[in-house]
Structure formats: structure tokens, C-alpha cells
Amino acid sequence: MTAEKPIVVKKIRPDAYGALTEALTTINWNKREYQDDVRRRLRDHPELFARLNFTTTKRETSAQLVNLLMAHEDRYRELAVEMMTDISRMDEFPNLTKQVDAEDHLARARAAVASLAKWVSRHADIAEERDRFSAELEARREQVTKTRDFAEVLRELTQEFLRLSGMENRQQAGLEFEPFLHRLFTLFDLEPTLAYKLKGEQIDGAIYHETNHYIVEAKWLATTVEAEHMTNFDGKVKRKGKNALGLLVSVNGFSAGGRDIFKRGTSFITMDGPDLFCVLEGRIRLDDLIARKLQHASRTGDCYCPASSMDL
């Protein structure tokens, strides 16, 4: 009697796991909805949910989950395929439609889902045989080369910042600086919105951090931002209400005269080029930097607290 040939199920490719990371990160915008979605997907695997860190960014948490699925693929292959299949079939994104920049968020989500769908179709054989697989995992796993994890995106942003620094056309560099900041804010789950207009004035954007809303203005001038501009921005913030906060970003810093005006009372915090580079180098997280700057402003009234003065 001939022995039955064992069933060998192909490993899920690292690229498919990378596509899952991207899709999980983009199909929800707000962190609470993101956490609820992940909890629902892991309802039969509370041991996985308990190991996830939701105090960090969505991208980092998604990568953490996917790494767990990869490291224990013999145990979680069915779950991985189920998640990939379910997300690849999504055509509605309720949380994204509620956002100010809904069309941008929806475009990114649809692209991520479409990319995942391609990998799901290539792994149809795994989905069909997921109840029968018995193959052993290899001792060492293939290096994931296409997973856009947190560190990789931060490296990309660093190169983008250096590219903008070296551009001869400074007007164009200034225009490209705002989308750069939007990507950076998005990476740290600060829920940024793009530029918008109020009656009589232009706002570069807004972010949300630790229950606080900040209106944001960004400048990359040839010199420092002067006192007049800082005073104008202070007026914009105050017109938003007594509890409004502002974040004024100037790559080339702020004049001494401007800093003196807002040394004992301020409605905004400031961020300059060296601050951004500390974040890009991984010396401090952007959300932590904003929290420490706000703490300093609340305690002293001073708008200026460079990262170089902090114990990093």
C-alpha cells in the first residue's frame, strides 16, 4: 500500500504580510476605532490581543501583530488568511468617511486594500486548504523586505527632509514642506488635517494629540520667523477659542525678539529644524516632544522649548 503523500501548503509570502500591515494601518483613522477593529478581528485569539501595545502608533501596532502572525505561522496561518481575505474584500470605510480629509484617506485605504487583494488571490490555494495544512515552518524566516514598518517610513521621511533642505528652489521646497509634515504627523497618529480656510485667514492644518486640538502653521523661510508673524499666529489661535492651542513650525527657527514676546504667556508651542531632526533620528518621538513642549509652556508660559534643552 502506497503511503499517502503529505499535504504541503506554501508559506504566506512576506510581501503579503507587508500588504496586511499597510491595510490594517490605513482602513481606520482614529485610534479608538482602530483598536476596536483589531479587537474584533482577534476575538477568538485574546492571547494575541493581550500582547499588542496600543499606546504607540497604529503602524507600529499593526507591525507588531503581523510579526506575531509570522513568527507563529504554524498556529495562526488560518487567522492570517482570514484577516487578509476579509480586509481585501472591504469596499466601505465608515471611520474614514467622517474625517475632514476623507477623500485622501479613502484613496490610501483603497490602494492598500487593492494591494492586499492581489496577494490574497495568489494565496487562494492556502485559503482553500487552510483546514488541512500540516507543513512545518522553516527555522529561519525570509527577511521581510517590503513591509513598510515604522522605522522604514521614518527613514524615508529623513531622506525627504534632506532632499528639501538641498533644493535650490526654496519656494517649491516650502510648498512640499507641508505634505512632508502631514506624513510625519500621520506616522505618529496625530490625525492631521490639511490646510483649510476660515473667514479672512488661512490655516496650514491641524493635529490632535492627547485630547488637545492644535492648529498648525508651518514655515521654511530663508531666515527666522519674526515677532510680527508670531503675533499674528497667536491671534489666529486665540480667535479659535480660549482653550485653543497652536503649533508653529519654523525650520530656521524664531527670532530672539519674537521668543521674548511669548516667554511669559503663550497660546502656542514652537518647533524648529533641529527639533524635527531629533524626531527623524529617533532620539525622541514626535508625540512625546509635543507633550514635553506643552508641559513647559503650561508651567512657564514660554512658547520655546527646544529638544536640545531636554534630557533625551
Side-chain angles (χ1 to χ4, degrees):
M1 183 176 178
T2 303
E4 185 178 347
K5 187 177 180 179
I7 297 171
V8 178
V9 180
K10 296 177 183 178
K11 289 171 54 180
I12 300 176
R13 292 190 52 143
D15 307 58
Y17 281 116
L20 177 60
T21 302
E22 191 70 22
L24 280 168
T25 303
T26 56
I27 60 176
N28 284 289
W29 181 246
N30 300 110
K31 293 187 74 173
R32 178 173 295 178
E33 283 73 9
Y34 166 78
Q35 184 171 344
D36 289 343
D37 184 45
V38 173
R39 181 186 289 110
R40 178 181 61 81
R41 297 184 187 280
L42 300 181
R43 59 188 177 276
D44 295 328
H45 298 277
E47 76 284 358
L48 278 178
F49 187 82
R51 295 181 65 180
L52 299 180
N53 179 11
F54 287 96
T55 65
T56 186
T57 66
K58 298 193 299 289
R59 187 174 295 275
E60 289 171 295
T61 306
S62 297
Q64 186 183 15
L65 171 56
V66 169
N67 287 337
L68 288 171
L69 296 176
M70 291 181 67
H72 306 283
E73 189 174 303
D74 55 338
R75 180 179 180 184
Y76 295 120
R77 188 196 306 263
E78 183 176 357
L79 172 63
V81 172
E82 181 181 340
M83 290 179 65
M84 290 178 183
T85 304
D86 180 57
I87 294 175
S88 71
R89 293 172 177 168
M90 290 182 66
D91 56 9
E92 294 183 354
F93 308 89
N95 182 241
L96 301 185
T97 59
K98 301 175 184 177
Q99 309 308 317
V100 174
D101 304 317
E103 288 306 314
D104 293 323
H105 302 321
L106 287 168
R108 284 191 290 270
R110 287 167 182 151
V113 168
S115 177
L116 181 60
K118 293 179 182 179
W119 288 109
V120 169
S121 66
R122 296 179 189 182
H123 285 280
D125 56 331
I126 293 180
E128 293 169 0
E129 297 176 348
R130 60 189 178 185
D131 293 329
R132 302 163 57 209
F133 69 83
S134 60
E136 294 184 359
L137 291 176
E138 298 176 0
R140 293 179 178 269
R141 297 200 169 272
E142 180 181 352
Q143 178 71 27
V144 179
T145 58
K146 293 186 179 180
T147 300
R148 290 170 50 78
D149 62 10
F150 183 90
E152 181 180 348
V153 176
L154 196 62
R155 286 193 296 270
E156 288 180 1
L157 287 168
T158 302
Q159 293 304 310
E160 178 68 7
F161 186 77
L162 293 173
R163 184 186 70 81
L164 293 176
S165 299
M167 287 180 64
E168 293 184 5
N169 186 336
R170 298 315 304 162
Q171 182 177 8
Q172 184 62 33
L175 291 174
E176 293 184 30
F177 182 50
E178 289 181 25
F180 162 83
L181 278 180
H182 191 273
R183 288 183 62 201
L184 183 63
F185 291 148
T186 297
L187 181 62
F188 285 90
D189 287 336
L190 298 178
E191 303 179 16
T193 57
L194 296 174
Y196 59 94
K197 289 184 178 180
L198 297 175
K199 187 175 181 179
E201 62 187 22
Q202 174 77 27
I203 304 295
D204 286 353
I207 59 172
Y208 182 81
H209 176 248
E210 292 185 349
T211 73
N212 294 316
H213 287 271
Y214 295 78
I215 67 169
V216 179
E217 194 159 296
K219 298 293 179 185
W220 198 332
L221 306 177
T223 59
T224 60
V225 163
E226 298 298 321
E228 180 181 3
H229 187 85
M230 296 173 75
T231 301
N232 290 339
F233 181 65
D234 180 61
K236 286 184 181 181
V237 176
K238 288 179 177 176
R239 283 192 291 275
K240 290 283 287 181
K242 65 179 181 179
N243 295 320
L245 296 169
L247 171 60
L248 182 58
V249 182
S250 169
V251 176
N252 285 322
F254 307 86
S255 69
R259 296 202 308 266
D260 284 344
I261 293 174
F262 298 99
K263 198 168 187 176
R264 294 178 180 81
T266 183
S267 64
F268 61 91
I269 58 177
T270 57
M271 189 175 296
D272 58 18
D275 288 335
L276 290 172
F277 222 78
C278 282
V279 173
L280 294 171
E281 288 180 330
R283 295 173 57 194
I284 187 171
R285 293 176 59 92
L286 180 59
D287 42 3
D288 291 340
L289 179 62
I290 290 173
R292 291 172 72 168
K293 284 177 174 287
L294 180 60
Q295 184 181 46
H296 173 82
S298 299
R299 187 175 65 250
T300 67
D302 190 356
C303 74
Y304 184 68
C305 181
S308 58
S309 68
M310 302 176 186
D311 183 18
L312 302 181

